[in-house]
Amino acid sequence: MPTRINRLYELAYNVWWSWHPEARTLYSSLDPDVWEQVAHNPVHFLSKVQPQKLEQAAENSEYLALYDNVIRDFDHYIHPQPDETWFSTTYPELTNKTIAYFSAEFGLHESLPIYSGGLGILSGDHCKEASDLGLPFVGVGFLYPQGYFSQRVNRAGIQEASYDKLHFSEVPAVPAVGPDGNEVVISVELPGRRIYAKVWKLMVGRVPLYLMDTDIAPNAPADRELSARLYGGDHEMRISQEIVLGIGGVRALRALGINPSTWHLNEGHAAFLSLERCRELVAAGLTFNEAREVVKANSLFTTHTPVPAGNDAFSFDLVDKFFSSYWGQLGLTREQFLEIAREDQSWAPASV
């Protein structure tokens, strides 16, 4: 990379480019064909583009003028003056009050296949808008290595799905590190074992997005697949994923040294985070009812799919299997624990 334009790397690792067309032009204009081949992904693009293309650009006055303008806008955006964002001027007393936003999917750009539809696009837009407004905001989710599938119709007219594994070296994510400078790996308990998740950091403008991945040692092969795909597998897979997202997500923020003032659940996939927060407070000396009131006071919930099909319900058998060692840590009996979210259905066994 020529020194004159070497900040193309830095720019590629912040998806600010995804909603700023002039930034994307810095890459697409270098080699439109390669840009199309890599699905408009600047990180992957820089590993594919021929070095002479970069050398030519570094000597092209028209390209350099665009480059300088984009870099100046990017720097101004990332490092605003204290009174330049909506949040800093409207709520200056709250600038250190972090909002933690949990979602099972984030639709940021087509090159990051960690979303499936409207909920993901909503989550991605929330992150981008939070960045534009200057909110003290962090996102928490999964970095699915297999993302969603590609479709094709074969000669027999049958639809086939294929999954292409995401190479993390080709996306704008880096290992997240804690206050001690070490990479963050968290763990949660599942029936008969403990599983681990590595935390990755992806910058969305000014907003850090922390994404977990279970495809690491010492997890067993089945557990390494736990976060492989969005909304995959059976009910055991789903409850396992939601334990990692909710309980593991709280532990990830603690390991990163982040103590949110507000916890926002976008859909119910991260609902178990409220249990984990209650567990922390009970361990600190509160009763469960006291802890629940504390958690209620600074929790937000939004739903994108207000119909039964869009909201998970798990049988009591599954809850027994996955939480039998957990409710005691809340100071509750099994029946008290089930009553927290009991749902009696006329068409099926009771569940939570």
Side-chain angles (χ1 to χ4, degrees):
M1 175 70 69
T3 302
R4 179 65 175 82
I5 56 173
N6 64 5
R7 292 191 67 190
L8 287 175
Y9 278 122
E10 177 187 351
L11 188 62
Y13 274 86
N14 189 316
V15 295
W16 177 84
W17 49 257
S18 70
W19 73 101
H20 290 85
E22 67 281 6
R24 297 196 299 275
T25 300
L26 285 180
Y27 303 96
S28 63
S29 63
L30 290 172
D31 193 323
D33 291 336
V34 173
W35 182 246
E36 291 299 321
Q37 291 170 15
V38 299
H40 306 170
N41 176 350
V43 175
H44 195 186
F45 177 85
L46 290 176
S47 72
K48 294 288 188 182
V49 68
Q50 295 180 356
Q52 57 263 40
K53 299 276 188 179
L54 299 170
E55 293 166 3
Q56 291 168 5
E59 297 176 357
N60 184 313
S61 59
E62 185 176 337
Y63 182 88
L64 292 177
L66 175 62
Y67 172 87
D68 290 340
N69 284 335
V70 171
I71 294 299
R72 182 174 59 252
D73 290 345
F74 177 67
D75 285 341
H76 185 215
Y77 181 93
I78 297 299
H79 304 290
Q81 295 299 312
D83 60 350
E84 281 191 326
T85 68
W86 173 84
F87 192 82
S88 64
T89 56
T90 309
Y91 299 104
E93 73 282 7
L94 300 178
T95 53
N96 295 319
K97 303 293 186 180
T98 302
I99 303 163
Y101 180 93
F102 284 67
S103 183
E105 49 178 299
F106 288 87
L108 299 167
H109 186 260
E110 61 193 26
S111 62
L112 280 164
I114 57 173
Y115 65 101
S116 68
L119 174 64
I121 298 301
L122 175 68
S123 302
D125 285 352
H126 278 164
C127 289
K128 294 172 184 177
E129 188 62 26
S131 175
D132 285 349
L133 293 173
L135 270 63
F137 188 101
V138 300
V140 180
F142 281 120
L143 186 57
Y144 304 100
Q146 293 182 27
Y148 46 67
F149 57 78
S150 299
Q151 297 175 323
R152 72 181 188 93
V153 177
N154 65 22
R155 294 191 178 202
I158 298 173
Q159 175 183 298
E160 296 178 338
S162 63
Y163 288 88
D164 296 319
K165 187 167 184 178
L166 191 68
H167 294 283
F168 293 172
S169 63
E170 297 173 355
V171 297
V174 297
V177 297
D180 59 2
N182 294 321
E183 294 183 4
V184 173
V185 176
I186 57 91
S187 65
V188 298
E189 298 77 24
L190 291 183
R193 74 238 191 243
R194 178 180 292 271
I195 70 164
Y196 298 83
K198 181 174 181 174
V199 184
W200 295 78
K201 180 180 180 180
L202 191 151
M203 291 303 300
V204 185
R206 305 179 184 111
V207 166
L209 177 56
Y210 295 103
L211 303 172
M212 292 174 287
D213 171 40
T214 62
D215 188 13
I216 62 169
N219 289 340
D223 289 331
R224 294 180 75 135
E225 292 282 320
L226 191 62
S227 65
R229 300 175 183 175
L230 174 63
Y231 304 142
D234 57 14
H235 277 83
E236 286 211 15
M237 174 72 81
R238 292 294 292 276
I239 196 171
S240 299
Q241 285 183 331
E242 295 184 12
I243 286 171
V244 175
L245 177 60
I247 296 175
V250 173
R251 295 177 183 180
L253 291 180
R254 302 304 191 206
L256 289 161
I258 298 171
N259 295 302
S261 298
T262 303
W263 302 74
H264 185 155
L265 290 73
N266 192 34
E267 289 283 24
H269 306 112
F272 296 138
L273 81 84
S274 297
L275 291 178
E276 177 66 5
R277 293 186 59 213
C278 285
R279 186 197 63 79
E280 292 177 331
L281 292 167
V282 169
L286 299 186
T287 67
F288 174 75
N289 287 334
E290 291 170 337
R292 179 161 57 178
E293 292 305 309
V294 173
V295 170
K296 284 169 60 177
N298 62 359
S299 295
L300 300 170
F301 174 78
T302 51
T303 183
H304 179 76
T305 318
V307 295
N311 295 273
D312 292 321
F314 300 111
S315 69
F316 286 176
D317 288 343
L318 269 185
V319 174
D320 285 337
K321 181 175 181 179
F322 281 83
F323 285 95
S324 59
S325 64
Y326 195 89
W327 55 65
Q329 298 176 61
L330 296 170
L332 300 177
T333 65
R334 173 183 181 272
E335 287 305 315
Q336 290 172 326
F337 183 79
L338 295 179
E339 285 301 319
I340 295 172
R342 183 187 183 104
E343 181 181 24
D344 292 311
Q345 303 165 337
S346 61
W347 47 269
S351 61
V352 297

